[in-house]
Amino acid sequence: MKTCPDYIVQYMNDYLDGDLEPSKERVLKENLATCEDCRKTYHELTKTIAFVQSASHIEAPEGFVEATMKKLPKQTQRTGAKRWFRQHPLLSAAAIFVVMMSAVLFSDFNNDQQFSFTKQPNMVVEGNTVIVPEGEVVTGDIKVRNGDLRVDGEIHGDVTVVNGQYMASSGVITGEVEEIDQVFDWLWYSIKGVFKDAASIFNKDNPTTNE
Amino acid sequence: MDALVNKRIAKVMKGDQDAFAEIVELYQHKLYQICYRMLGNKHEAEDIAQEAFMRAYVNIHTFDQKRKFSTWLYRIATNLCIDRIRKKKPDYHLDAEVRGAEGLTMYSSIPNDDELPEDELVKMEVQERVQYEISRLPDKYRAAIVLKYIEELPLAEISEILDLPLGTVKTRIHRGREALRKQLSNL
């Protein structure tokens, strides 16, 4: 047996929510003053609100915090590390790069204590010394590890000597000469090599984009 | 308060579990109250409130620190409560007519524990009655009414918690209030 018009009920609700325009509020008040049913509805609504709000505040039971904390998944060392990685992606990548790179390079450097050199025809080996004899011409790059190089003839290419000495003499070398003695020089040399390789891969793959 | 909470959350994100205990300490009563008023059962309320905290902890990295933490937390809890209420509901319609029994609906075949006779209602204590009347509300009105009148949250926040437009929240509060008024007409 609802006799109040719908818009008045709407006004009541808006009023109770505290967002009824003043002009409409006036309409509502006039209505309440004249209409018995509206007054009753409004009164019931306010009573309803007071009733719900009379609900006492409830508190969580004793020991709620402890019980909740016990239910949480255990924070393991691994998830801690995972979280760190997730939050520092760049640092993680850099750290992994450094670790892998140095592992590779150091093992390379330390395991290669043996005397070795690039095989080329017409070179002579005496003990730990590679000799390009006078009058001979070697075409191509030469790399000597853990040994010396003496050039009396001609080399048409680059020369690299690792952990050894390049003995300057009357020879002719058309390329670059590089002597590498220390671990860090070796590192630098290897890294340069990696980038050169990478660059050449890119050049091969995208000849158009990489002028 | 917000700055304090955000500091704790930053610690939790770095993996500090003790900082989370402080957050639970801070919000336990409010969260438990919402769950209790929604579910009307102490054990279930405790269960769901703990579940809500656990989910907040596990998913803390998805929390946007520019927002209000309580809103996010209440949202987790109300969603869990609504899920729980829906699961408890039988999935057949009580209004469906029973075959072969004209005019009779499923309502008539189950013991009626939803509508208490009036003399029972009168005997109820006020607190009991409040909870009873709230629990009779449909779940979508119930959430809005609990957040508005028990937690006394502003409408804008309720709309964020329930992930509903402001207008819908208002409608639900109006309808919930109206439903309560009718339920209480004999008070």
Side-chain angles (χ1 to χ4, degrees), chain A residues 35-116:
Chain A
C35 172
E36 178 71 29
D37 284 330
C38 290
R39 206 158 46 228
K40 186 166 168 268
T41 307
Y42 180 75
H43 181 67
E44 279 176 6
L45 277 175
T46 50
K47 226 169 74 175
T48 303
I49 294 168
F51 175 74
V52 174
Q53 282 177 329
S54 76
S56 51
H57 276 258
I58 305 261
E59 298 221 324
E62 287 271 311
F64 181 85
V65 178
E66 291 73 30
T68 304
M69 293 310 287
K70 254 186 228 154
K71 278 198 178 174
L72 295 188
K74 284 280 162 298
Q75 176 96 21
T76 60
Q77 206 64 39
R78 250 185 88 207
T79 58
K82 247 197 248 163
R83 232 169 246 216
W84 191 89
F85 282 133
R86 198 159 42 206
Q87 276 160 15
H88 308 91
L90 212 68
L91 267 180
S92 315
I96 290 169
F97 176 78
V98 166
V99 168
M100 305 268 265
M101 203 60 190
S102 48
V104 168
L105 296 180
F106 279 109
S107 67
D108 228 13
F109 185 80
N110 289 327
N111 292 344
D112 276 342
Q113 293 298 343
Q114 279 160 335
F115 170 59
S116 68

Side-chain angles (χ1 to χ4, degrees), chain B residues 117-130:
Chain B
E118 205 157 316
D119 52 332
E120 288 285 325
L121 283 179
V122 173
K123 273 189 257 160
M124 261 189 195
E125 278 181 51
V126 178
Q127 286 306 315
E128 225 180 321
R129 178 80 193 265
V130 173

Side-chain angles (χ1 to χ4, degrees), chain A residues 143-168:
Chain A
K143 193 158 139 191
V144 180
R145 280 177 185 223
N146 308 309
D148 303 334
L149 175 71
R150 205 173 82 215
V151 182
D152 295 329
E154 275 182 49
I155 297 177
H156 291 265
D158 298 343
V159 170
T160 312
V161 183
V162 182
N163 261 1
Q165 257 190 322
Y166 162 69
M167 276 169 276

